[in-house]
Amino acid sequence: MNEVQRHHGILSLLEEKQAINVSHIIDAFNVSPATARRDISKLDELGKLRKVRNGAERIETKKRKWTPLNINSTEHYEEKSLIALHAAELCQPGDSVVINCGSTAFLLGQQLCGEDVQIVTNYFPLASYLINEDHDDVIIIGGQYNKTQHIFLNPAPDALSGYAGHWMFTSGKGITEAGLYKADMLTAVSEQQMLEQIDQLVVVVDSSKVGQRTGMLFCPAEKIDILITGKAADPEVIQGLQAQGTRVILV
């Protein structure tokens, strides 16, 4: 893992915690104490965190959350757009496609809108967009609306047994040789119900997520058929996934 990827990882840790110490960085990234302190100092100089005694604190910022109206201001927009474009190219006319939540998922939905594919989703912003754009075949998975994640959740274990798809596209907070990680447990459990109903699982994450282990393990690497990510992704993690049979597409 290079310095840039490690810095992304440190900032991701601070998204979960208000503060971290040097030992957190040493354990998470297998670096020396000197390297951990140097990383903190550099990120402090860049204004990304606040350096404190033996650690760092998160800087609270009022960051505008992306919406379909400001999607082009989302982080890593250019890379996510390329990922969505390549993901859409996998789908063939007549395919049934399950798309889960997130900015990359929304961009993928935009690419597929108007094409001869059935789109299955529980993601309200995407469903609204597809309906407004008169996409011919949309299936909205029902349940209780979760305002925080903008998705419908159904806790019944067999709620999704009637659905099936050729493809399932999902993302997460991190991916390693162990598999895909998601930070929100409710979302992850909901999506896990679909894993046995689809033919191919495709993970779409920007390169900053590759090598990150954050949250719960959503699925092991051997269940991931295809990973689409950016060319800056950690090559060691990419090789580890390929060795387990995952096809990797770098954009």
Side-chain angles (χ1 to χ4, degrees), residues 96-97 118-122 127 130 137-142 163-164:
S96 180
V97 180
Q118 179 184 77
I119 298 179
V120 182
T121 188
N122 65 344
L130 294 170
D137 198 349
V138 183
I139 294 179
I140 303 173
I141 301 172
Y163 298 98

Side-chain angles (χ1 to χ4, degrees), residues 203-219:
V203 173
V204 288
V205 293
D206 66 76
S207 55
S208 71
K209 307 288 197 326
V210 178
Q212 303 304 314
R213 188 176 61 229
T214 303
M216 67 171 283
L217 182 65
F218 171 72
C219 69

Side-chain angles (χ1 to χ4, degrees), residues 168-239:
M168 177 173 169
F169 294 92
T170 193
S171 58
K173 281 292 187 181
I175 185 169
T176 70
E177 296 93 329
L180 177 67
Y181 290 83
K182 289 181 179 285
D184 189 273
M185 186 174 294
L186 284 175
T187 304
V189 171
S190 174
E191 293 181 19
Q192 280 176 333
Q193 296 179 35
M194 283 296 297
L195 287 179
E196 302 305 320
Q197 310 297 120
I198 49 97
D199 296 331
Q200 297 272 301
L201 175 63
V202 184
V203 173
V204 288
V205 293
D206 66 76
S207 55
S208 71
K209 307 288 197 326
V210 178
Q212 303 304 314
R213 188 176 61 229
T214 303
M216 67 171 283
L217 182 65
F218 171 72
C219 69
E222 59 264 25
K223 284 189 173 289
I224 301 172
D225 296 291
I226 301 174
L227 166 66
I228 308 178
T229 189
K231 292 178 181 177
D234 187 329
E236 291 186 9
V237 176
I238 296 300
Q239 290 171 10

Side-chain angles (χ1 to χ4, degrees), residues 9 22 29 32 56-57 65 71 78-79 85 92 96 106 118 135-136 148 167 188 212 222 243:
V22 171
F29 306 106
S32 68
E57 290 180 345
K65 189 173 182 179
I71 183 67
E78 298 296 336
E79 185 177 312
L85 179 63
Q92 300 298 312
S96 180
F106 187 85
Q118 179 184 77
H135 185 73
D136 283 340
T148 303
W167 304 93
Q212 303 304 314
E222 59 264 25

